[in-house]
């Protein structure tokens, strides 16, 4: 059996990374639930399907972040409700632009803040970059979907 001893400095770094990732995870979970609720109440079937796809991608990203939190052996990990920091929210009357703005506020800006943090190691930074690219692509696709709808009408 191999025992690993970490320094107090490493322990503080792991605790910091755990708290940042846990905060992000809680925020993503709250945003995903809002997306699912919006899709359930939407009368536009194609929009609802698109939002459901993003919500399922969000769940996959949450699971990957949760896995990294577990690998850091965070003993204080709790799934607490996230503070509602986002300026935008979704209602049943929200349009596609509101959904894109909501995604940018709750996903892209949060990921950018994590990417700007130099304390994360390369594996977590790569994961964050991949998630950021995926959500950026999703927002771009939704905006194009909106443009195509207007051209078709």
């Amino acid at each position: 059996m191999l025992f690993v001893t970490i320094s107090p400095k490493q322990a503080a770094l792991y605790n910091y990374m755990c708290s940042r990732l846990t905060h992000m995870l809680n925020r993503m979970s709250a945003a995903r639930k809002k997306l699912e609720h919006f899709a359930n109440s939407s009368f536009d079937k194609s929009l609802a399907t698109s939002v459901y796809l993003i919500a399922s991608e969000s769940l996959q990203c949450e699971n990957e972040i949760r896995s990294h939190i577990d690998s850091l052996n965070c003993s204080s990990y709790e799934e607490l409700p996230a503070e509602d920091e986002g300026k935008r929210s979704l209602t049943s009357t929200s349009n596609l632009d509101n959904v894109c703005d909501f995604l940018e506020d709750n996903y892209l800006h949060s990921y950018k803040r994590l990417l700007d943090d130099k304390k994360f190691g390369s594996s977590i930074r790569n994961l964050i970059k991949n998630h950021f690219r995926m959500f950026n692509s999703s927002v771009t696709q939704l905006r194009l979907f909106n443009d195509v709808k207007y051209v078709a009408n």
Side-chain angles (χ1 to χ4, degrees), residues 23-131:
H23 177 74
M24 177 69 175
L25 179 68
N26 292 337
R27 188 146 187 228
M28 286 177 66
S29 179
R32 178 182 46 82
K33 289 174 184 172
K34 289 178 184 176
L35 287 171
E36 290 170 346
H37 178 73
F38 171 78
N40 283 334
S41 63
S42 177
F43 294 111
D44 186 346
K45 187 173 183 152
S46 57
L47 174 60
T49 302
S50 298
V51 172
Y52 274 128
L53 288 173
I54 294 171
S56 68
E57 289 173 347
S58 177
L59 180 59
Q60 176 63 34
C61 292
E62 288 174 44
N63 290 334
E64 290 173 8
I65 291 171
R66 192 173 286 116
S67 179
H68 268 280
I69 290 171
D70 291 343
S71 73
L72 290 171
N73 201 15
C74 301
S75 59
S76 63
Y77 168 70
E78 294 179 36
E79 199 154 334
L80 301 171
E83 304 101 40
D84 202 10
E85 294 175 7
K87 297 173 188 108
R88 296 175 185 14
S89 63
L90 292 177
T91 63
S92 58
T93 60
S94 295
N95 61 20
L96 191 55
D97 287 329
N98 297 123
V99 173
C100 291
D101 292 341
F102 177 82
L103 289 170
E104 286 177 349
D105 277 353
N106 287 284
Y107 289 95
L108 296 181
H109 293 149
S110 296
Y111 275 112
K112 272 189 175 182
R113 277 188 296 230
L114 285 179
L115 284 172
D116 290 339
D117 193 336
K118 304 298 182 204
K119 293 185 179 181
F120 287 103
S122 62
S123 65
I124 296 176
R125 288 183 66 76
N126 287 335
L127 177 76
I128 293 167
K129 284 179 190 176
N130 290 337
H131 288 184

